[in-house]
Amino acid sequence: MGILRLSHVEVRVPDLELATAYYTEVVGLVETEREPDRVFLKCWDEHQHHSVILKMAPTYGLESVGFKVQDAADLDTYSARIEAAGIATKRYSAGELGPGHGEAVRFMSPTGHLTELVFGMEQVGNMLPLTNPPPEPLGLVGIHPPRIDHVFLTCEDVDGAFSFFSEVLDFRLTEQIMGDDGYRLVAFLERTHTPHDVAFITGPQGGLHHFAFWLDDWNQMRAAADLCAYHGVNIDAGPTRHGATRGHGLYFFDPSGNRNEVYTGGYWVDPDAEPVTWTEAEMGKAIFYYEGAVNQRFLTVHT
Ligand SMILES: [Fe+2]
């Protein structure tokens, strides 16, 4: 019972056709459905209908973020807890929020993000047969990550984000970057026994720092960087190593300015593990382990 993982992000883009071309041809996602102002996409190895929704809007940034729950009853349990925390929730029936979408609960998180719990999204398969499948379908293009991995959000009160996501939504803290003043600068939280499914960094309420796709290894990371360079994609940083999460990452921007990441590595974490702490003095290594310093864009550019 409970939250299984990050389900999807809905991202604002001013130019829907350009964004769709980028996310299908460069990132290599698969288009599953289209509305006049929204395009639904999935990673090839995901079974559910969508993990990225592009929404035509005058600006960029995060429209909403969704987490997948295991049982329909989880929606009731968490609704009650969220309401008890003083936050209003709204319930949606299957399909009400879009094609293929499941039954959902939405609420405004204390971090300023429209947040959703979803159950029972339409299953469309992972493009492979269930009997004697090959390791990967033929004909994929671009980076073609197998699945979405995590989302990195900004908010004014990271300690408050940690409290809400851990106490109300049962996320577990894996790592934290502590400011010299004793407040958290960054909190990494998980439900999948990986280093993070969602992280919060101090910044404006409701901001999107980046969302990340999983890659299976470092060679795919290198190929992703080659593809970004080939297509003239604006690379932000990497490929490099993160100190926090121990992962490898490559950051780049979509045509609207939303930051994407491809990520691999990390570690497995049990629910009883003690969180890792980084000090403010070592924040550079926590974010970019090889460089030992955070570039100014990382701290200042978000959508
Ligand atoms: Fe990340």
Side-chain angles (χ1 to χ4, degrees), residues 150 152 196 210 212 242 251 261 263:
H150 65 266
F152 207 93
H196 60 334
H210 65 267
H242 301 304
Y251 295 109
E261 182 188 14
Y263 175 91

Side-chain angles (χ1 to χ4, degrees), residues 6-285:
L6 177 65
S7 166
H8 61 278
V9 291
E10 182 167 6
V11 182
R12 296 188 284 258
V13 295
D15 186 333
L16 191 60
E17 288 313 312
L18 179 64
T20 302
Y22 164 83
Y23 279 101
T24 56
E25 291 166 30
V26 180
V27 181
L29 305 186
V30 180
E31 182 178 327
T32 54
E33 196 117 9
R34 189 177 274 252
E35 293 178 333
D37 66 340
R38 293 198 298 176
V39 173
F40 296 77
L41 305 159
K42 70 186 272 294
C43 300
W44 71 263
D45 201 21
E46 291 167 339
H47 292 259
Q48 68 176 34
H49 185 272
H50 50 265
S51 57
V52 174
I53 306 169
L54 304 176
K55 180 184 174 145
M56 190 157 61
T59 183
Y60 46 28
L62 186 73
E63 182 74 13
S64 69
V65 55
F67 297 96
K68 177 179 180 174
V69 298
Q70 187 169 345
D71 297 307
D74 292 325
L75 298 178
D76 302 321
T77 306
Y78 285 117
S79 288
R81 284 210 220 163
I82 295 161
E83 297 266 353
I87 296 169
T89 63
K90 191 168 178 196
R91 191 75 174 248
Y92 298 86
S93 55
E96 199 177 345
L97 287 171
H101 214 74
E103 203 179 332
V105 170
R106 279 187 159 185
F107 58 96
M108 187 57 72
S109 139
T111 59
H113 300 92
L114 180 57
T115 305
E116 181 185 316
L117 305 178
V118 59
F119 169 77
M121 201 187 285
E122 183 187 333
Q123 298 291 296
V124 296
N126 68 343
M127 305 176 71
L128 294 175
L130 290 174
T131 304
N132 306 330
E136 188 176 292
L138 295 179
L140 298 172
V141 298
I143 299 169
H144 64 275
R147 63 180 179 273
I148 197 167
D149 189 80
H150 65 266
V151 64
F152 207 93
L153 307 174
T154 73
C155 66
E156 289 175 359
D157 177 11
V158 175
D159 286 335
F162 160 65
S163 297
F164 178 79
F165 274 76
S166 59
E167 289 163 22
V168 178
L169 300 180
D170 297 323
F171 279 81
R172 296 174 290 257
L173 183 73
T174 57
E175 304 207 21
Q176 55 192 348
I177 304 177
M178 299 301 295
D180 292 338
D181 57 7
Y183 295 99
R184 287 183 183 84
L185 294 169
V186 186
F188 299 82
L189 299 151
E190 63 86 15
R191 284 294 305 169
T192 57
H193 309 278
T194 64
H196 60 334
D197 299 298
V198 60
F200 292 96
I201 183 167
T202 183
Q205 285 286 94
L208 171 66
H209 191 279
H210 65 267
F211 58 100
F213 300 101
W214 174 262
L215 291 180
D216 284 332
D217 59 39
W218 174 258
N219 275 339
Q220 294 186 6
M221 190 75 68
R222 185 174 56 183
D226 288 344
L227 276 166
C228 285
Y230 177 84
H231 286 289
V233 170
N234 184 7
I235 292 178
D236 180 33
T240 186
R241 160 82 83 175
H242 301 304
T245 79
R246 223 186 288 154
H248 296 283
L250 166 69
Y251 295 109
F252 44 98
F253 292 101
D254 79 6
S256 313
N258 297 302
R259 189 188 277 100
N260 296 158
E261 182 188 14
V262 285
Y263 175 91
T264 191
Y267 52 82
W268 296 110
V269 55
D270 286 345
D272 58 357
E274 286 290 314
V276 167
T277 298
W278 297 80
T279 60
E280 186 168 349
E282 293 293 299
M283 183 168 178
K285 276 191 169 173

